[in-house]
Structures are given as C-alpha cells and as structure tokens.
Amino acid sequence: MTAPNTPALCPAQQRAYEQLLRAVELGPILHCWSRTGRGRSTVLAHLHRALGGRLMGVQDFVEAAQHRHPLALEDALYRTTLEALHQHECVVIDDFHVATAAMDHCHFYPRSGYLDSPLAVIAAYVLETGKRLIVGTGGHLAAPLRDRSFAFGIESFSSDDYRRLCATFLDGQASGLDFAKIHRFAPRLNAHQLKLACAWCRRAQWLDTDRFIDYLRSQQLASNVALGEVAEVELSELKGVDDVIRGLEANIAIPLENDTLAN
C-alpha cells in the first residue's frame, strides 16, 4: 500500500528522510523522532513509498485493542506488529509513543513496565529475519527498540522551512512574504501553526508580512499574563543582570522595534 498524495518535504524533513534512507542499509530497526508538527508523518510516508511494506498508525492498534481485554493492550500491539512483520519485509509505525503511552511506565496501568517484554520479542524477530521496522515517536522510545536502532530527528524549522511549507499551504503564492522576518519573530512554529496562519491569510485574502506576524502575535503567541497587572520597568533600572539585558535587547526588543537594525 502506498501513501497517496504525500506532501513534498521541506529542508529539515528532507535531511531526516535522507539520513533514515541511508541507515536502512546499516540496521533493520530505525527510529524517527520529532516534536509535534515537524512533519514526522510526512517523512515516514515518504519512506513507506520508497521502501514499500506496511504503514501503520494508532488506528491499527485501537482497532486491534477493541477485541481484547482492557488490561491486555500489550497483546494487541504485539500481535498487530508481529502479524504485519510476518506479511511484509518492511513495517513503518507512526505515533508509536501515542499507541504505547498507557502501557509504558504509567502508574495507573496495572501492567506498567510489561511493555518491554513484547517489544524485546519483536526486536529479536526483526534482527533474526533481517526485516525492517521503522518507528516514529515524539522522542521517547522504549529500551528494547531504542537500544537496537539508528535514531534521527527532524530539526527545528529554519526560515527556508517556513518558506517551503507556506508555499505548499498557499499553493505557491507565498513569494511576497518575508520569511526571514517571520522566522525571527517566531522561530519555533510548527507546520500545524503555519498551516493555520496560511489558512487565515487566504480567507482574509491578503498576503502581507506584517499582518501575518500580527496573526501570529494574536493567535500563536498570546500571553497568559494580564498586562494591565504588570508594572512597566526600564531595562536600565535592572542591576546585576547585564548579560540578560543584552540578550533581551538583541533577541527581543530590537527585532520587534527595528527590523532593519535586526537584520
């Protein structure tokens, strides 16, 4: 089965994809990790398209668990994964951390910690048969797989990643936006947040850098501090924290007040 309409990769995703593709020849177990919204699912879909086999996700484990005892979640995961490996040379599992969250050292789950046993059996089967298992997580992976895998992450997005993603979300109509300025204002946005911003721009029928930033300021960067309750303080009044003050001026004050000087 091939993932249809797989989106193009931005530079950070492309680097992770190429690293994983090279590592396939070196070891049968690979781990792709990233924070939410950096395109881990997209990278895994590209790997699946290149390598073939079976692409699995949380839905597969949820459906398998429906027919088992609520305290036997590991059994559902074990059987589903092993059956896929029996049938395919390569199995790609996305959001593995979501599927295993309740089982992996959760104090409220009666069989907490037992997950390592079925995973050790799965790892041994992959190593013995020479098949491939590629697992995607938000960062953490249980030891039986982690200790036997090559791991590659998707880096934080650069302004080039912002440009590539927004060009996709805006159907190539993002050329008028200053992505260096947008990235400087909000350097930690993920693809979900950028997609929402682009959807807002398209609905409002404007493509303007300052308005794009205004949207980010109001939606993605809204503070939970009531500014009316905060007393104004001049930086010159703060003593003994000169390094902090210089950092605030260079990284926050100047970019917000003077874009030319920030450049």
Side-chain angles (χ1 to χ4, degrees):
M1 181 180 70
T2 302
N5 302 321
T6 306
L9 298 174
C10 70
Q13 296 164 353
Q14 182 68 31
R15 286 190 291 273
Y17 169 74
E18 291 174 355
Q19 290 173 323
L20 289 161
L21 201 58
R22 287 195 296 267
V24 164
E25 303 302 325
L26 303 176
I29 302 177
L30 304 181
H31 176 204
C32 177
W33 58 270
S34 75
R35 291 186 177 182
T36 300
R38 289 190 189 168
R40 183 181 60 251
S41 297
T42 302
V43 170
L44 292 178
H46 275 263
L47 280 171
H48 171 243
R49 186 171 64 180
L51 302 174
R54 172 81 183 277
L55 176 63
M56 301 170 59
V58 175
Q59 181 178 345
D60 295 278
F61 298 120
V62 170
E63 292 176 353
Q66 290 177 344
H67 307 293
R68 296 183 180 274
H69 192 280
L71 300 182
L73 298 177
E74 298 90 349
D75 299 340
L77 183 143
Y78 172 76
R79 288 297 176 189
T80 304
T81 304
L82 210 57
E83 287 173 4
L85 286 167
H86 286 157
Q87 298 171 11
H88 303 277
E89 292 300 310
C90 178
V91 173
V92 181
I93 305 178
D94 191 15
D95 288 328
F96 194 72
H97 61 298
V98 178
T100 60
M103 314 170 229
D104 193 8
H105 304 292
C106 174
H107 297 300
F108 300 102
Y109 185 62
R111 299 173 77 183
S112 176
Y114 176 68
L115 177 65
D116 283 1
S117 296
L119 291 184
V121 176
I122 290 172
Y125 176 81
V126 173
L127 295 173
E128 290 170 2
T129 59
K131 296 196 175 187
R132 297 189 182 107
L133 176 63
I134 304 172
V135 180
T137 77
H140 172 72
L141 183 62
L145 295 181
R146 182 189 67 232
D147 295 344
R148 298 166 174 82
S149 68
F150 287 105
F152 301 96
I154 302 174
E155 305 165 358
S156 299
F157 290 152
S158 67
S159 58
D160 287 338
D161 295 303
Y162 280 25
R163 180 179 294 103
R164 185 73 61 83
L165 291 166
C166 289
T168 299
F169 300 146
L170 293 170
D171 296 329
Q173 301 177 13
S175 58
L177 296 176
D178 184 346
F179 288 101
K181 182 176 181 179
I182 293 170
H183 184 266
R184 188 165 56 250
F185 175 78
R188 298 184 182 278
L189 296 178
N190 62 40
H192 299 315
Q193 293 167 325
L194 287 169
K195 186 174 184 179
L196 289 173
C198 290
W200 183 270
C201 292
R202 293 183 65 174
R203 183 175 179 84
Q205 296 184 339
W206 47 254
L207 289 175
D208 177 89
T209 300
D210 290 333
R211 290 181 179 179
F212 194 100
I213 289 176
D214 286 340
Y215 166 84
L216 296 176
R217 183 183 289 113
S218 66
Q219 296 294 320
Q220 304 298 352
L221 303 175
S223 173
N224 61 359
V225 177
L227 296 181
E229 300 176 3
V230 179
E232 291 189 12
V233 177
E234 294 292 334
L235 293 180
S236 60
E237 298 175 4
L238 302 176
K239 306 299 181 184
V241 288
D242 294 343
D243 291 342
V244 175
I245 291 174
R246 282 194 292 270
L248 288 172
E249 290 177 333
N251 298 311
I252 298 178
I254 291 176
L256 289 175
E257 295 175 358
N258 192 323
D259 186 60
T260 302
L261 185 57
N263 287 331

